[in-house]
Structures are given as C-alpha cells and as structure tokens.
C-alpha cells in the first residue's frame, strides 16, 4: 500500500501513528512545505521569546521518520492533485503516487486587503520561519503593532514584550480573546497584559500601513496614527485548502469529511485545521482549530486509510493557555443569551469561573487563574451528563466526585469509568 500524507504537523503525525497501528510495512511518504522536523506549532511564541530551543519543540523525537519507515520530503510544497492518476504533484514537478492520501495542510493566516501591506517588516505569526524572520527584524527596543487580540496575536504580544519591545495590539472587538472569553474574563487578561506594558486599542482597526520601503506606522479606522518598527497581522487562521482547489474534493469552509475523515473521493482523507469535523457540543460540522483535535482526526484518518473502521466521535473547542504565568482554561460555548450561566468572580484575586449550561447539560466553561478540576468539567461536557442536581457546585474550584449525586457515582463505577 502506498500512503501519501501532505503536511507534517499534528494531524499528519496522528495519521502516521494511526496507519502504523494497523499496517507496519506499507510505504508512507510525508510531504511538507516546511523544511523542519515535525514541531509543535503552539511553541513558536516561546521560541521567539527565547524560552525554548528548537530541540525542545519537536512534536516527535528525531528518528521518528526512520523509526516509522517514512520517506520525508521536506521544503517541497505539494502544488496539485491528480485524483484520476492518483498522484500528488509537487511544486518542483516531482510526482508522488498514492493508494491512500491524507490532506493535512492545516490552516493559513488570513491577511485582509489593507493598503500598504507590501512593505518590509510586516509578518504573520504562524510558523517557525515567521518567528525566525521576526527575530531577525527586531532591533533593540522595537515598537511593534499587532493586529488582532485573538490567541495568536496575544501570544505574539507576550513574546515581543518579553524581548523588551513596546507592543500595541489593535482589535476590532471590545475585548481580548473575544471568541473564547466573555467580558469579565477578557478584562482580567487585559489587566495582566497591561501590567506587563502591553497597550490595547479596541473597537478599531488598521486602515492603512504607513512608510516608504519599510513600515513606520499605521493609520487606524478612526483616523488616528500609531508609529511602529514592525507590524504583525494576526487576524485569524483559515483552512488551507489550496491543494484541493482545482480538484473534485468537496470544500465548504474546510474540506468536507465524514466520520471516517474521508472526503467524497475514494481513498482521499483530510484531518486537522483543514477539515470540517463534528462539533460534539454545537452539533454542527466545522473546523475546530486546536492541536488535540488535529491529532485525533489524523489518527482516525490513518486507521481508516490502513483498513480499519474507526469513527471520529466529535470534538469541541478547548484551550488551556497562559500569559505571563496567568492561566486560562476554556471549553465549549463561552456563554450568551441562549444559555444558562453560573459564575463566581473575584477581581482582586483575578480569579473567575463560569459554567455554561443548556437544558442542565454542561456545554462550556471559563476558568481563570485557578484551573483546578477542569479535567472533570471537560469530562462532563464530553459525556453530556445531566448536572441539574449539582450544577451550583461546579463553579467551585475544589469541586470533586464527592459532590456528585450518589446514583451518578454508582452509575459511573458500574459503567467501569471509576472515580
Ligand atoms: C502561535 C500559535 C499558538 C497556538 N496555540 C495553541 C494552543 O495553545 N493549543 C492548541 O490546541 N492549539 C494551538 N494552536 C493551533 C494548533 O497549532 C493547530 O490547531 C495545529 O497545529 C493544527 O495541526 P494541523 O496538523 O492540522 O496543521 P498545521 O499545524 O497548520 O500544519 C500544516 C502543515 O502542512 C504544511 N503544508 C501546508 N500546505 C502544504 C502543501 N501544499 N504541501 C506540503 N505541505 C503543506 C504546512 O507547512 C504545515 O507544516 C496554536 C497555533 C499557533 C499558530
């Protein structure tokens, strides 16, 4: 069997490991646009901040490809698919035949059409080469502007601030991390960031980039101008479906797959940030761009490519992140008018915990600073447990199994889940 995997990150590695569970000898070719050994993308901001070296970023140890009998083709992007001839065509013209193909090309930064974005010292923040280029461009106490206060923009802000840069973040929403945090939680993180010297401009955006050859500043939508030496565009990530663009592989926002992670075309699978899987909480198909989800989808795809009958049971948004040592954990839905919310806030301690419910089922939570017991909350979301009789206890940070009603504990033990 000839397997070809395009991509070399979490979903691709999940697929290799899935394939090798069933098929120890089939030939696997991994094609990667990046030259590097597989690395953990969330660590790039720590690399920039000088907190981790490249050898501590590897997602699997050196020797992984040899150990798994993989032909690794690095630094050579795949340019097209020949689905009739069952070949992947690389930009350099080489062709890779396949019986089973996985598209694991992940996401790519969304870069809006802003006037002047072609100047020097303007970057995205998505791959190791991006942060290496930023590192090179940094000169003494640089002034940096970051467009976007989502996860990636905030990680970039933290890293640059650690390096002594003056950082301003420009954000369209009225708070940081608006897709995963509510206003209270957003205010707590903002406070942490501002205490480290990071400034924010909310409800505004960059209309024009200023400078001759290199960026010297930006003009905002409200007409104000800010000066800078470098600009980072971190507005969002979109599925990188370029490879299948001129092929019959069905694409919605991401590549459309079934529970086996198979596309509409026989033998072609997709997984990770490029694919639309089931969101178990929202009950819709969508891209869930987080690393554990990418790995799991890749593993399911790999198992099926090797002849298994594995199904992706659905994932949901989940984040455990930190800024300057301040911890945040979120999962599922952040709240809103259609949901019941229970919350405990202590602004002095900067602690906050909120649970989000629908029909007495936990569908989301936000935990700030003290993130104890979030594993248990995540389990309750996953299992769809009716928490109606003990929901008030779920906002406590010392919530434990003894707070569960007796019969639920008994049920769990009988089901073999243990306590
Ligand atoms: C700064 C940052 C911080 C993050 N923090 C977190 C976090 O805290 N927690 C979390 O869960 N997630 C986090 N994420 C998201 C996480 O990194 C992604 O969800 C995950 O890496 C997706 O894995 P993937 O395999 O689907 O794709 P990707 O990691 O995007 O990798 C896709 C790979 O495919 C390659 N590729 C693309 N096109 C081609 C082509 N045509 N030919 C060959 N190769 C190609 C790319 O070069 C890339 O190596 C973060 C992301 C960033 C950028």
């Amino acid at each position: 069997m000839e397997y070809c995997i395009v991509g070399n990150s979490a979903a691709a590695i999940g697929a290799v490991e899935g394939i090798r569970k069933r098929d120890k000898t089939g030939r696997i070719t991994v094609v990667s646009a990046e030259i590097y050994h597989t690395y953990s993308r969330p660590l790039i901001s720590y690399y920039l901040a000088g907190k981790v070296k490249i050898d501590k970023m590897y997602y699997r140890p050196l020797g992984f490809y040899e150990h798994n009998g993989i032909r690794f083709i690095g630094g050579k992007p795949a340019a097209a698919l020949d689905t009739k001839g069952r070949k992947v065509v690389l930009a350099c013209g080489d062709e890779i035949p396949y019986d089973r193909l996985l598209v694991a090309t992940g996401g790519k930064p969304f870069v809006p059409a802003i006037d002047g974005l072609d100047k020097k010292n303007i970057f995205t923040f998505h791959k190791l080469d991006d942060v290496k280029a930023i590192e090179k461009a940094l000169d003494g106490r640089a002034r940096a502007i970051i467009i976007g206060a989502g996860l990636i923009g905030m990680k970039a802000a933290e890293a640059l601030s650690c390096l002594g840069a003056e950082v301003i973040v420009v954000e369209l929403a009225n708070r940081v991390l608006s897709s995963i945090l509510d206003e209270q939680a957003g205010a707590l993180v903002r406070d942490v960031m501002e205490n480290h010297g990071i400034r924010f401009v909310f409800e505004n955006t960059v209309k024009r980039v200023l400078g001759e050859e290199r960026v010297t500043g930006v003009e905002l939508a409200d007409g104000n101008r800010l000066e800078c030496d470098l600009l980072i565009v971190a507005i969002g990530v979109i599925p990188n479906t370029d490879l299948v663009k001129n092929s019959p592989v069905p694409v919605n926002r991401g590549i459309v797959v079934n529970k086996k992670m198979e596309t509409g075309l026989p033998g072609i699978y997709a997984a990770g940030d490029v694919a639309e899987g089931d969101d178990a909480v929202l009950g819709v198909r969508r891209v869930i761009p987080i690393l554990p989800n990418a790995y799991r989808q890749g593993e399911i795809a790999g198992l099926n490519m090797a002849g298994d009958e594995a199904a992706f049971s659905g994932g949901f948004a989940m984040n455990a992140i930190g800024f300057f040592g301040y911890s945040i954990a979120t999962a599922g839905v952040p709240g809103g008018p259609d949901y019941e919310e229970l919350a405990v806030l202590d602004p002095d301690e900067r602690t906050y915990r909120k649970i989000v419910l629908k029909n007495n089922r936990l569908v989301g939570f936000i935990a700030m600073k003290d993130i104890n017991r979030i594993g248990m909350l995540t389990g309750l979301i996953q299992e769809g447990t009716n928490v109606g009789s003990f929901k008030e206890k779920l906002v406590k940070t010392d919530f434990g199994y003894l707070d569960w009603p007796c019969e639920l504990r008994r049920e769990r033990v009988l089901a073999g889940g243990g306590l």
Side-chain angles (χ1 to χ4, degrees), residues 33-36 39 41 43-49 54 57 107-111 121-138 152-153 156 159-160 163 230-237:
E34 295 181 80
I35 54 169
Y36 305 104
Y39 66 89
R41 199 164 299 285
L43 292 180
I44 61 171
S45 65
Y46 298 93
Y47 173 88
L48 178 61
I54 181 83
M57 292 173 72
K108 62 177 182 181
F110 171 64
V111 180
N121 280 6
I122 300 180
F123 307 92
T124 52
F125 202 89
H126 190 253
K127 53 185 193 293
L128 196 46
D129 280 342
D130 292 337
V131 291
K132 285 189 171 184
I134 293 169
E135 198 178 26
K136 248 193 200 159
L138 280 173
I152 292 174
L160 287 167
L163 291 171
L230 64 110
L231 176 68
I232 296 180
V233 182
I235 285 176
V237 173

Side-chain angles (χ1 to χ4, degrees), residues 156-313:
E158 180 190 39
L160 287 167
S161 161
C162 286
L163 291 171
E166 286 174 28
V167 182
I168 302 178
V169 184
V170 179
E171 164 62 49
L172 201 55
N174 64 354
R175 62 184 186 278
V176 304
L177 298 168
S178 62
S179 66
I180 56 171
L181 299 184
D182 61 12
E183 297 210 5
Q184 283 82 348
L188 294 175
V189 186
R190 173 185 176 173
D191 189 38
V192 169
M193 302 293 274
E194 285 180 340
N195 278 332
H196 282 85
I198 294 167
R199 286 167 55 206
F200 291 93
V201 176
F202 290 106
E203 299 183 85
N204 212 329
T205 191
V206 170
K207 200 176 80 187
R208 194 155 68 93
V209 177
L210 308 171
E212 295 296 322
E213 196 195 344
R214 63 182 56 219
V215 56
T216 55
V218 297
E219 187 178 309
L220 301 177
D222 65 3
N224 280 320
R225 290 183 168 204
L226 301 169
E227 290 182 354
C228 70
D229 306 303
L230 64 110
L231 176 68
I232 296 180
V233 182
I235 285 176
V237 173
I238 51 173
N240 184 0
T241 56
D242 294 352
L243 182 61
V244 301
K245 204 165 44 192
N246 297 318
S247 81
V249 172
V251 176
N252 187 21
R253 190 172 141 75
I255 297 177
V256 179
V257 289
N258 62 19
K259 280 190 183 301
K260 293 178 74 181
M261 306 312 298
E262 197 171 19
T263 68
L265 265 79
I268 304 185
Y269 295 75
D273 285 10
V274 75
E276 289 188 0
D278 284 329
D279 185 314
V281 170
L282 296 177
V284 295
R285 302 205 130 221
R286 67 176 192 114
V287 177
I288 306 171
I290 54 169
L291 193 140
N293 187 66
Y295 178 85
R296 182 67 186 140
Q297 289 189 349
E299 188 186 28
I300 297 286
L303 286 165
N304 291 318
M305 288 160 78
D308 214 328
E309 285 291 326
F312 180 61
S313 56

